[in-house]
Structures are given as C-alpha cells and as structure tokens.
Amino acid sequence: MKKYYTEEAWNIIENGFDPSMHESSESIFSIGNGKMGQRAMFEEYYSGPSLEGSYIAGVYYPDKTRVGWWKNGYPEYFAKVLNSPNWLGIDIQIGSERLDLYTCKVREFERKLDMQHALLSRKFIAVFPSGKEIEVQTERFLSRVDDEIGCIRYHVKARNFNDTITCTTSVNGDVKNKDANYDQTFWDPISETITGNRAFVAVRTKKLGFEVVAGFTATYSKNGTPIQLVPSAVKKEKFAAFSVATAIAEGETFEVQKYVSVVSSMYYSDAQLKDACNQNIDTALRKGYTQLRNEHALAWEQLWEQCDIEIKGDIAAQQAIRFNILQLNQTYTGKDHRLNIGPKGFTGEKYGGSTYWDTEAYCIPFYLGTNHQKVARQLLQYRYNQLPKAIENAAKLGFTKGAALYPMVTMNGEECHNEWEITFEEIHRNGAIAYAIYNYIQYTGDHSYLWEGGTEVLIAIARFWSQRIHWSEAKKQFVMHGVTGPNEYENNVNNNWYTNYIATWCMQYATQAIAEVKEQYPTAYKALVLKTALDETKELAEWKHICENMYYPMDADLGIFLQQEGYLDKEQQLASSLNPKERPINQHWSWDRILRSCFIKQADVLQGLYFFEDQFDTATLKRNFDFYEPRTVHESSLSPCVHAILAAKLGYEQKAYEMYLRTSRLDLDDYNHEVHEGLHITSMAGTWMSVVQGFGGLRVRNGKLHFEPMIPTQWESFSFSIRFRGKVVKATISKQLLQVELLTGDSIEISVKGNSHTLKQGETVNISHHHDTAQNNE
Amino acid sequence: MKKYYTEEAWNIIENGFDPSMHESSESIFSIGNGKMGQRAMFEEYYSGPSLEGSYIAGVYYPDKTRVGWWKNGYPEYFAKVLNSPNWLGIDIQIGSERLDLYTCKVREFERKLDMQHALLSRKFIAVFPSGKEIEVQTERFLSRVDDEIGCIRYHVKARNFNDTITCTTSVNGDVKNKDANYDQTFWDPISETITGNRAFVAVRTKKLGFEVVAGFTATYSKNGTPIQLVPSAVKKEKFAAFSVATAIAEGETFEVQKYVSVVSSMYYSDAQLKDACNQNIDTALRKGYTQLRNEHALAWEQLWEQCDIEIKGDIAAQQAIRFNILQLNQTYTGKDHRLNIGPKGFTGEKYGGSTYWDTEAYCIPFYLGTNHQKVARQLLQYRYNQLPKAIENAAKLGFTKGAALYPMVTMNGEECHNEWEITFEEIHRNGAIAYAIYNYIQYTGDHSYLWEGGTEVLIAIARFWSQRIHWSEAKKQFVMHGVTGPNEYENNVNNNWYTNYIATWCMQYATQAIAEVKEQYPTAYKALVLKTALDETKELAEWKHICENMYYPMDADLGIFLQQEGYLDKEQQLASSLNPKERPINQHWSWDRILRSCFIKQADVLQGLYFFEDQFDTATLKRNFDFYEPRTVHESSLSPCVHAILAAKLGYEQKAYEMYLRTSRLDLDDYNHEVHEGLHITSMAGTWMSVVQGFGGLRVRNGKLHFEPMIPTQWESFSFSIRFRGKVVKATISKQLLQVELLTGDSIEISVKGNSHTLKQGETVNISHHHDTAQNNE
C-alpha cells in the first residue's frame, strides 16, 4: 500500500514528478469516453519508462495462443486489447533542446484528474540543460458528447530566454503492445495523408482487418492571440505530423490546441473512415476548444447527479468511491451492445480487453443502480448476440443439442482463455450469465427480455448443465465433477457447492421463464420452441429430475455447505495464522501448496449466499460466513466486496469496513503493487456495491426498494442516489438517521428495516436506523 | 498403423523412396553409440522435408520456459535436446547438377539398418534432369569401440556419362532446433579451422557454454584405387568443408571415406577439445575404414550374445524385439553416470532430451537383465548425484529438512517441466526412484549401494512423503491430496491409491534400509546420520505412525483398490464402448471430458500391482486387472507392457499377446502417427519386459530366478538370455517345453513354476510347462 496521491473529494492529484511512479500514474490518470480510452502518457517526448496505451473500443487482436503443453480444446488465439494509434503527440523544442521530463529538471509538477468533469490537466516548470526554463500547462479530454473526438490544450511560457519554439503535433500508428510475443507489431500501414492543415494516418490490424483512421488539426496562439503558422508536414510509415516554429521571448506564451478524431471500422465502412474522421474535425473546429470542453464537462456533471456517492468524514473513502464511479463510466456507456467491460477497461493490456463473468456479477448491478436500464440491457444483449458462439464453444467440448457454454474470456464470443482448469472447468460463469437475466428483470421489472432473447439463453444454459451433470451410481444422486469454483485456489474439484447450486437454480429459472413466456407471450413461445427445438415435456422433466436428486456437499455438524466434496479433509487453518511475509500467498507459495491448502482466494460458497441470500435464513448465512471468511485470503480484487456486503448484512461492521477499504482504494493506494499495469475496472463496481448494498443495505424484493442501512464508525454520513424503474431516490445515512428523498418520479413505496414508507417527489423522510447492539458488538 | 518396412529377422529395410516417409525413416534408421546419436538424414543435399538431428550425449539447451499463464514455482527453463553440428555432409555434383533425391528421379532405392552390427546403408540410382545416372552406395556407423568417431563410406558409379564429379565433405554447426521458439539458434561460432586435409568447426551453446568441436578428414579412391586429390577448402561461419573435383567416365566409380570425430566439453577442457578431435582422427586414419567397421561390428555381435531375444514363427515380432533392443543399446551404454535415457533417446527433439521416471520403471529392468550390473548402478548413481537438486526442488515448493522431490523431467537435476498438474503433482515419480534402488538390490544382491548413496536418497524421499501427506481430521487418517497418478487422464486428485501405496512403501523401505546400514555398516551409518541430520527416533516413529494410519481408497463390494477417492462416482464405461472414430480420445476429446471420464491412459492401480505383485494374492490381482484393464485406453507408450506382464501372469494369453503387439511394433508400424518425431526409446524397454517378465514369467525372488513361462499361440518358440549376478542363463520356451541353459557361470539354482532346478554350465535342462487349462480359456 502506498499513499501517493493527494486526497481531495473531487480530484486526484500528483504533486511533484517521480519517474518511478509514472507508469502507475499513467494508469490512475486514464481518461475515456466509452469509445476511446487513453493512458496518461505525456504529450511531449518522454524517454523514461512508460506503458503506452491508446485504446479503441471493440478493436482487438487475436494473438496466437501461447502455451507450454497444448491441451485438446484450447482456443487458437487470445484476444488482446490493442494499443492503437497514439493521438497525443505534441513535441516541444526550444532552440535545439527537446522537452523531455526524464532528462530536464522538473519543478512544481502537478498532474490532476478533475473527476467531476473527466478532465486531465498538468502543469510544471521544466529546466533544460542550457538553463532555459519553460512553464507548461496542459489539459486534455475525450469528449463524452462527441465520442470520437479528443482535445488537448498545450500551453508554454518562456520564463527566462528568447529563442525559437518548435512544436510538432502528430498521430502515430507505429505502436506496439507490451504483451506482444517477441516484439511483433499488430498494425499494417494503409496511408498517411496531409490535406491542408489536417493530417491523417490510416492503419489496419494484421489480423481481422480492423481499420482505424486517426486525424487531427492544430491551431496556435501566442500571448493569447490566435496566430497563423505555416506548418511543415512530416510523413513516415504509419506517422503524420506538422511542425511549426516561431520565436518566443521571455514572458511570452505559446499555445497549441489539438483537435483529434479517431474512427474505426467498428462504425464505418472502410471507405467512409477518412471522411468520417474529417467531418469530426470539422465539428471540433466549429465548436472550438472551449465549447467542446464545456459540453463535455456538463455531460459529466449531469451524469454525476444520478450516480454520485457522497461520504462525509472520510476524505480517502470519498475520493476513492468517486474515482471508481468515474472510471466505470469512462469505460462503458451502454451505447453499443457489441462492447463490454474488460477487467482493465481502457487502462492497460493485462487480461486482454475481453469480457469475463465480472460483468454479470459486478458491473450489471452498478449500471442498473446508476444508469438507465437500457445500459444493463445492452450487456444482456451482448451475451444474447454471442449465444451461437457459446453453443459452438460447448459443441467443441462435446456437448450437444444447443447446450451453451459461455467463454471465460472473450471478445467476440469465442473462448480465448487457455488454462484447462479455467477454460474448461470454471464453468460457474454460465450461471452468472443466467443470474444476470434474473437480476435485471427483478430490478427493472422489464419482463420483455424473457421473450426477446433471455429465455433462449436460459434454455441453452440449462441444457449445458443437464449434460455436464451426471448420475453417480455410487451416490445414487446427480453430481458434477471436474470444476473450478470462483475460488480459483482450487482446481478440478468435484461437487463444488456453488456450481452445483447455481446449476440447478439455472434449470429451475429456465423452467420458470419458459412457463412465463408460454403463458404471457404465446406467439413468442412458439417461435422459441421452433428455434431451440425445445422438447418441453422431456427436457423439463429431465431438469426437474436432476434438480430433485442433486447432491450438495454439506457438513451437518458444522451446519455449513462444503465448498466442495472433501473440503474438510484438508488441513484446517485460518488466514490469520499465515506468516504476513508469505502474503499474498500467490506470490510466495508454489501452486500445488496453494491448491492443497484450505485458503480461499475469493468468495465461493459465499458468492452463492450473496446471490441467493433470500433463500437462506440469517443463521445459515452467519454460520457459513463465520466459517469461510476467516479462511479467505482475498487475493482477488473481486473478493472484498461480496464479503463487505455480507458482513454488513450480518452486522459485522468492522469487517465490512475493512473489506470496503480493501476494495475502494485498491488502485489509488496500489495494494497489490500492480497499478502500473492498469486499473481494476470491474472490481470498481464491487466497491459501489459495497456502499449501496453493503452499508446502504439496499435490496430489491418484489419490485420494491428495501433499505437496511448501517454506517461505519469512521464516517459522519454517506449518501447515494439510486435509479429504480424510472425514479431516482437519494438516500443519506447519518449516525442515527436514514434520510430518503425522491428526486425523480411522483411517488414511490420503499421499505426500511421491514417497514413501508411512501415518498412523494421532493419530500424528504427521516427514519431512525438504530443498531441492533447485540449484533454489532460481535 | 502402417506396414512400410520389410520384415526381416536382423534387418530393417525400406524399399523404394517415398519423400513423405522420409522423416519417419530418419527416426527409424537412427544410429547411436551412447555418446552420439544421429537421425538418418542423407549425406548429400536434400531439399525435401527433413527433421535434422545430430545429438551429443549430455549437451543440452536450457530454453526459456513458454507458458500461457505463469504459476508460482514453474522452472525458468525447459531443457531441450540439442541439434548439434551435422557431421554427415557429403555433397555430390555431376557437372553442374547437384544430387538431391527430392528433385532427381530415384530408382532401386534401399535403406537398410543391419541391426546385428548397427550399420546403416543405402543404395539407389539417381537420374538427374539431364538424364545422367549415378548409382550410389553408402554406409555409415557411429563406432561403439571408438565412441567419438563416426565413419561414412560414400560410393558413386557413373552409369551413362563422362563428366566431372565434385564432392564436398563438410561439418556444419549452423543448425537449428525445430522446437526453438521463433527460429532462434542455440549455437555461437568459435572457430572454423582448416589444417592440411582436416577441417574443424568449434561452436559453443549460447547458454551453459557447452563447447563442441566437430572435425573430419576424407580419403578418396577411384575404381577401387586410392587417389590423391587436392581439395579446396571452404569456410563459412560455423561451417568448414573440402571440395574435390575429378573426371569420371561411364562405368567408373568414385568413393569417399569420411572419418569424423565429434568431441564435447562434457569430456575435455575447452582448450583440449581441438587436440582430442584431431587425435581421434589420427586413430581413425590409422585403423582405416575396414578395421573401424569390423571392430564396431564385432562389439555389437558380442553385445547381442547377452541380450538377444529370438522369436520363431513370427517374423514381425522377431524384427521388432531386436529393433527395440538395438535402439536401447544405441542410446545408453552405462559408461557415464551423468547421462540418462530420454524418451526419444537420440532420435528426435520431443520431450526434451531429459530424464523421466521411465528410466527407473522400465529401463533399469532391461539393463539389469541384459548388461553388467554396473550399467544399472550408473543410473542409480545419476539420481544420487542429483539428490542436492532434488532437495532444492522440494525446498522451492515449501518442503523442509532435506526432503527431496525428484523432477518430472530433467537434464541436470533441476525440474524443467511446466504443467502444474504434472510438475507439482505427478509426484509418484519419487516412489519409482526409491523402487529402482530396491529393484537393483533385489536383482543384483549388491547391498553396498545402500550405504554408498542409496539410503541417503531413500531418507530424502521418505521425508518428502511424510511432509506431503497430512492428517485428515474428518477421516482420522492420513491422506494425500492434489496428486496426479501414472494415469495422466486424471489431474489433481485426492488419495490416488498408487501414490499413497508407494509413499508408505518408501517410508517402510527407507526404515528397513536405515536399519540394515546401521547393523551392517556402522561407520557408514554414522556418516549418514551426520550428513542427513537424521533424527532416527523421531523421524522413524513419525513414518511408522503415518504408515500405520494411512488411508487407501478401496471398494469392498468390488474387492478392488480405487484409483483415487471418488473414482466410482464417475460414469462407468468400458473402453470397448468407445466409438473407434474417437480414438485415441486424446486427439478427439477436450481435456475436461477426458478428465471427467473413467478412462485410464496407462496402468495406475495396476502399476502398483506390477511393482508390488508379491504383496497381493492372485485373486486380488485378477479382480483389479479385470476391473481396470477394460477401462484403459493405453494411450501412453508405457501402458501396454505392464498390462502384458500382468495378463501373462494371470494366464490371459490373448490379452498379453495383444498388448505385446501394441508395444513392440509401436514405431515400426507407427501406431500413433508420430514416428517422424522420433522413436519411443524408453517404452522399448517395456517391450523387452513384456517378453521376459511377461511370456517368460521371469521374476527374481530371494536371490533366485523364477520362471512361469507361457507362449503365445502365434509363436513356435522364443528364447532370451538373461544376465543374473555374473551368470548368463538362456531360456528357450517352445509350445510344451522350457529349455534352460547356463551359458556363463558354474552352476545356478532356478525355479520353474515353483519347482527348483540346478543348472550346471553347458547343461541344458528341459522342463515341461503345461498350461493351466482353466485359466487359459477365459
């Protein structure tokens, strides 16, 4: 853990320049608008260590799978998030000296992310070897309004000299991925074009043929007054630039405004790309920097109105939750159902830019609670569109009759992960995808999704489970062998409780969905039966038979569900007994030792209890939490939030707060020494859940919001707004009171600790939320 | 399966040239002398597909480990068998046309491996595009007497032209491994030297700095008469050659004799290498081709006297068993305890050139039965020398106090395999290493090895098991979790019966060995206790406690040992129910499906019953064989032999013969479509075991040879010689009789079907071996 950034409610600030922190800051200060994402590399030349990353949503590279020992069924490629043309370039030269913060002396450096407006700015004084000093101020944003436009304002002041300033603005497609095998490049050149004051680079990916055009123009001013300069053009393969030079005297300022557009063949035919890019530059020039910036800032302010969380009395927690909310909104906007949320979003290469079950388990609740329901529905649609690939994926593994296995990692629906114990065995992901459908409908009441795709997905998933489960003659029950649960510190186990449970739940929910569609949408039902070749009598009977005779490992003495069969055969130890020097164990223990140990990476049985909380009494939740949490090492970024929510539910305030801290400042304080690789975007949604579902105690039951709030001792109060079926409710929890206000909508009925309350628009209701002392003192 | 080679008792013959079979033939016609090995590439230029391979014992390359997802504890490198300087080169040009069998027309092609003398020869007529025809005869060998010398005789006859023949002889260090990542080279040049008529290339491996000097000279004759030609020298980086040209007229012959020496820094200091190479060439020239050839051939004839197996009435079986015996003797001679037997020996790159548990389980019995006992002892010594590395390996995985885990794959003692389920979990290999010590002493009676290293190894192995096993509170027994048994179609299972059994056996045998050393060699015992810091009281008590309370999975109803806990929970199917189109399943099923199935790759429970046969009654062996063999798919080359031996023991003649066929002609008939990658050297030892232990029914009990012979219906008779404690016994089994003869030694007492017989030298005893009809008719 490292406290490096200044804690402010709305800003992340880096004071002073430390090159060894630069790659971490490149991650932290990332910006994005859902269509493009940009690590915070410098505009000017920088010779120090840097992880370059400019990303374009949906544009990826299927790199050849690399394994030591090939296993039958491995995918041929791994989808990599693709470092794309760098649109930032603004090189500065004073006389013959090039600005390079790695070699210049740097004073009064400040890098700031204005989270309220998603603006990244920087200021510093640089001293060249000659002693010349310049003062620089920069600002950049990726417009949330015009989402193919990025703008930079770069402002230089000569402090102590008269000389020539040379400014070279560029777009550069000659970029590489750090995770490329043997330094391969992924981009082929198409063209470099200079048209008047505009420069364009067109490149194409070597595989899949994604085309990208990055173009820009620049305007200049001196001492605040626009000037016309005649740039000289520079073209190289995959690179186009303009260079201008002008005299600058002591005290004078020079400013360049760079208007960039990056467009991809995700949205245009190859032939249209250049024109589209050009028109975007037209738009940018017409609006000008100030208007573009103001529109962008306003859009963000409006967004915050529906998703902000305010925490009083704990500035670190306040800053962190906003950082998490900002980054989630920078990553995904829900405009395009072909896109999804990679574990690192647009902030790094690790894990590929692909989709994991994180989306269903963590991100969908966030977008449901903070955005229009169509955003979450886009994420469901994404999986619906990939159903044929999921069926193909299952078929490759020997499943038949339209069974679907969604991939562990994907970009276009095809599996691209290549560890057998994950790829083939961590199949509970299929359950999370079904659960997300349930969760969406439960939250929004939008049952139309059942017949507009949802039930088709559910049938395919139920079919998978019914084939994946087999009858054990020895047990005279159905069992499921060879799985990896959410706790990836166990591999290839038999009868993982969570997987068994969610598998039968899927079959039951599919059965229920089929019945509902049959009753409510008979026409859609006929089409569904036709399309899926559903044999209602036979298949549903089979599912029912499995559900009624499924084996669930449990221990009667302890009154707990067993993570998997034989879990109690392990040597039982608590995480608190571990040598702190050996933590995280995944960096210190060999893999077999981790597997043999009882230690749990992230919620497994507890993930099930979180999803299906209402199906268990509190005593059961408590027994399982008390057993499993002390054995959990929380070495996944996805672990703390589920525990925070359950701990809050069980009244374990201290544990809930500890878990919240681990999740919310994971990146800002770099708990795991890896933030330079990118941010943990999907787990950020878990942080939001920790506050809203955890401390806020928010649940949706029978179409109604329920609150069971609590507040950590460290906080004075916290408040959050929640979108629910077209209404917006704001909840403020202070030490004694829950204050609820209906911001949007006529009226709403809510429940607080089991008591109903009706809110009218603009009305504020205060409800006492006394702690149950007995619970709290555990 | 493909019948391609002519079946002769002492020869492997390829008739006619088929370029698509060339790489397979390169494997099949491999030669070696324990110090060098050579695939059967052509001497002359060849532009068709070829897997070049010239190997030098002990010279390897630690290539960077390649994995998709790194697991803690993986080794940094994988030891690759290294394609080394090619010493074969004899290029032929007639006029301006280069001899290339891929582009010339080829007639009357014959490639022949004379197994009795380990001589590879070839003859053919090549027709050049111009219509010129030459007749070529070649012969090569790697001398078994002068084991750093290789010789080639290359004979050309002009059939229908007068022209100039140009002959270029070379050594070429500019070679690559096919399994190199991204086409890397592993050799750096040191020097190329021409001294008079001798040419030398010195190269050094880029890692580890192995140095190799390959040098040669050539003599020429025309029409049978030696001629002096003045060669022109050609030098390039890592390449040195001589070129001679002379007129040749229709009907005339030209012959080159090439004398090569390849020496490595395994045996000389870097400074001595060149001189050593030069002196070897002196020796070769002094002896001349004929003497070198005769000495080599004689050495092989003598070798065959002690290891030949003769099979009458089944030429395919006869050829195959000799091929297997030849290749084993070409691979390992036991002269150097730093060497071992890689799965592909000197015939290909696959699996690295490293040591597996194959050596202990399969090769040691072969060398014990056919060679002086010092050969097998060298193989034990190899593991003893690597004990410090095995301790280091265990320490990396968290084991303490001198526990040793021998590597799954190694060259120098360090682990270099990188699949967690194998590297960390297929730990039964440790048991095989202990078993080999037992087996060696049991066979030879040489108890000295117990105090000269053996017990030290046994203590370290026992310590490993005692730490790897843990107490299950749930079972109130000791258990072993997270292992992979010999059946690699199960991974990460709990309580694999074989591993549990051999683990406690190791602790018991170590205990017994300690007691013996203590009693018999008190001085050695003191040194041993000092070196190993053995706490006799405490550690032995702990081992005893574990052995007495160990859990062994079994099923009382079926009366079988369970391959692992929960095996009967699997869907039970027989291999005979598999769709033949889906076999081998490892080429058709996804890995998870294989893992979940009940199908067994190779003997697992049965491997234990083979090793410890005398600890179980025949009914137990039978119940387990009857249960497991029908579930076994034999998709490892190591599988059939153990089943052949057990089947023979149980009187299942047909099954034994079927299994024997699968193992003995695996490569010659290319059952698995992979012989082009190299030969299955270690499984060849299993073929020998199938005949001697299987059909011959040979066992050693209480220092005495026991025979329980049977003979497959297809055979008239078979005979084998067996070395045993300085004596050589020849057994000939015909339909009714076992004929036993003591070839070497004064007298020996043997047992046949439980009855004792005393043999005197030169005396032949005939013993009837009637079948038990009841057993045979199953």
Side-chain angles (χ1 to χ4, degrees), chain B residues 157 205 294 297 333 472 499 517 610 619 637 724 748:
Chain B
K157 181 178 179 183
T205 58
N294 290 348
T333 61
S472 161
T499 309
V517 174
Y610 164 69
S637 67
F724 180 69
I748 190 169

Side-chain angles (χ1 to χ4, degrees), chain B residues 21 48 186 190 202 215-216 221 236 273 339 368 431 479 530 539 546 549 602 614 720 743 766:
Chain B
M21 291 297 293
F186 295 152
I190 301 175
F216 77 99
S221 57
K236 288 189 296 189
L273 275 172
L339 304 181
L368 275 176
V479 296
L530 202 66
E539 291 190 73
I546 293 172
N549 295 281
Q602 72 181 86
D614 290 347
F720 56 88
L743 299 182
N766 291 307

Side-chain angles (χ1 to χ4, degrees), chain A residues 71 419 475 491-492 569, chain B residues 71 419 475 491-492 569:
Chain A
K71 296 283 207 295
E419 288 173 299
K475 284 204 168 55
N491 285 166
N492 196 37
D569 259 356
Chain B
K71 296 283 206 296
E419 287 174 299
K475 284 204 168 54
N491 287 165
N492 196 36
D569 261 355

Side-chain angles (χ1 to χ4, degrees), chain A residues 76-326:
Chain A
E76 293 292 326
Y77 73 86
F78 183 77
K80 289 186 171 168
V81 65
L82 193 50
N83 185 21
S84 302
N86 181 341
W87 56 274
L88 297 180
I90 300 178
D91 252 28
I92 298 296
Q93 200 171 308
I94 302 295
S96 65
E97 291 176 302
R98 194 177 190 183
L99 177 59
D100 173 1
L101 294 204
Y102 200 61
T103 54
C104 289
K105 255 184 239 161
V106 182
R107 295 205 319 258
E108 297 174 34
F109 179 94
E110 183 192 88
R111 179 151 42 181
K112 183 168 92 175
L113 184 60
D114 169 352
M115 298 190 284
Q116 196 167 17
H117 307 104
L119 288 166
L120 175 63
S121 63
R122 190 164 52 113
K123 57 185 182 187
F124 58 87
I125 291 166
V127 186
F128 290 92
S130 63
K132 289 174 195 153
E133 292 186 8
I134 57 171
E135 193 178 309
V136 176
Q137 292 184 28
T138 74
E139 185 180 73
R140 78 168 75 140
F141 58 93
L142 282 167
S143 172
R144 193 167 175 93
V145 178
D146 300 294
D147 62 7
E148 291 168 342
I149 292 176
C151 293
I152 307 173
R153 191 176 62 198
Y154 201 103
H155 185 93
V156 181
K157 181 178 178 182
R159 285 172 58 91
N160 61 353
F161 63 86
N162 304 329
D163 206 331
T164 303
I165 180 166
T166 308
C167 170
T168 307
T169 46
S170 62
V171 284
N172 180 13
D174 189 16
V175 292
K176 284 183 177 174
N177 265 48
K178 197 179 175 184
D179 63 4
N181 297 328
Y182 292 79
D183 242 22
Q184 290 172 297
T185 58
F186 296 151
W187 294 101
D188 276 334
I190 301 176
S191 67
E192 303 82 32
T193 321
I194 305 281
T195 313
N197 285 327
R198 299 186 187 184
F200 302 90
V201 163
V203 286
R204 184 191 295 117
T205 58
K206 284 178 198 265
K207 292 186 189 170
L208 299 183
F210 284 111
E211 291 198 7
V212 166
V213 173
F216 76 98
T217 192
T219 62
Y220 309 94
S221 57
K222 216 166 143 181
N223 301 323
T225 309
I227 52 168
Q228 296 297 322
L229 293 170
V230 181
S232 56
V234 186
K235 286 204 297 188
K236 287 188 298 188
E237 193 178 84
K238 298 191 262 187
F239 178 90
F242 289 121
S243 202
V244 296
T246 184
I248 189 167
E250 183 170 332
E252 288 194 321
T253 65
F254 171 85
E255 182 173 300
V256 54
Q257 294 179 344
K258 188 175 179 187
Y259 301 92
V260 187
S261 171
V262 182
V263 292
S264 83
S265 52
M266 286 287 289
Y267 299 98
Y268 303 95
S269 72
D270 295 349
Q272 294 170 327
L273 276 172
K274 172 92 182 298
D275 279 350
C277 185
N278 206 30
Q279 282 166 26
N280 283 332
I281 299 172
D282 288 345
T283 304
L285 283 173
R286 195 181 66 242
K287 291 188 177 179
Y289 188 87
T290 307
Q291 186 184 337
L292 285 164
R293 181 189 188 282
N294 289 348
E295 287 177 4
H296 167 75
L298 184 65
W300 272 96
E301 283 183 17
Q302 286 166 347
L303 183 65
W304 280 110
E305 279 174 21
Q306 66 186 35
C307 65
D308 188 26
I309 292 181
E310 203 177 2
I311 297 174
K312 290 197 174 149
D314 189 341
I315 188 73
Q318 172 66 79
Q319 182 188 43
I321 190 68
R322 285 193 175 133
F323 180 67
N324 291 331
I325 295 169
L326 168 81

Side-chain angles (χ1 to χ4, degrees), chain B residues 305 721 727-730 741-745 760-763:
Chain B
E305 281 174 21
S721 297
K727 296 161 187 172
V728 180
V729 175
K730 183 173 179 183
E741 185 184 358
L742 181 61
L743 299 182
T744 311
K760 300 216 181 307
Q761 189 170 16
E763 200 181 277

